[in-house]
Amino acid sequence: MAEEFLTLMADLDDESQRILSGWYEKLQVKGFNGVQTPGLPFHISLACFSLDKEQEVIEEMNELTDQFPEIPVHMSHIGMFAGGRVLFAAPDMNPSDLLQVRKAMKPETENARFV
């Protein structure tokens, strides 16, 4: 059985979902078939936590959504994680707003694994 954990994610807007879905369809036609969690929207993974931290993760999420408005994000490239099974589009890390969200996360949260 795969390891279970919580992931704090920033979902992309509807237009980005549409664009990335189109990219993914084109990649599939070319034979690039990754392994994705069914029904999970395209997103930016911010951090992973153990299951016993659910309430802390919810509180962190609420604080971040109160603190930050929507942030425009541009994708810099498409790639595959090790093993060639998971496709990804990497966000351009130049916008300081995206880095500020990452810095605002509480590093003292026990068992947090930043991604």
Side-chain angles (χ1 to χ4, degrees):
M1 182 170 172
E3 178 185 9
E4 292 185 357
F5 53 89
L6 301 170
T7 302
L8 186 58
M9 300 183 290
D11 285 350
L12 301 177
D13 65 358
D14 290 340
E15 179 65 8
S16 297
Q17 296 291 335
R18 187 189 65 71
I19 291 168
L20 289 174
S21 291
W23 289 1
Y24 183 61
E25 287 172 15
K26 289 177 183 177
L27 288 167
Q28 283 182 309
V29 167
K30 297 293 183 183
F32 293 98
N33 293 304
V35 177
Q36 289 75 256
T37 304
L40 197 62
F42 294 105
H43 62 276
I44 298 171
S45 297
L46 299 172
C48 296
F49 301 88
S50 61
L51 294 177
D52 64 329
K53 301 296 180 192
E54 181 175 5
Q55 189 56 44
E56 292 174 41
V57 173
I58 291 170
E59 290 169 10
E60 177 110 12
M61 177 192 63
N62 288 333
E63 289 174 18
L64 290 170
T65 56
D66 288 344
Q67 187 176 353
F68 292 94
E70 289 183 4
I71 298 171
V73 175
H74 301 278
M75 298 302 158
S76 67
H77 64 278
I78 297 172
M80 281 190 202
F81 287 119
R85 296 180 48 95
V86 178
L87 297 165
F88 68 88
D92 180 358
M93 295 304 287
N94 286 332
S96 62
D97 292 342
L98 188 56
L99 293 174
Q100 291 305 316
V101 170
R102 186 62 179 270
K103 289 178 184 177
M105 296 183 67
K106 297 177 187 154
E108 69 272 10
T109 303
E110 290 182 37
N111 298 323
R113 296 191 316 258
F114 290 96
V115 291

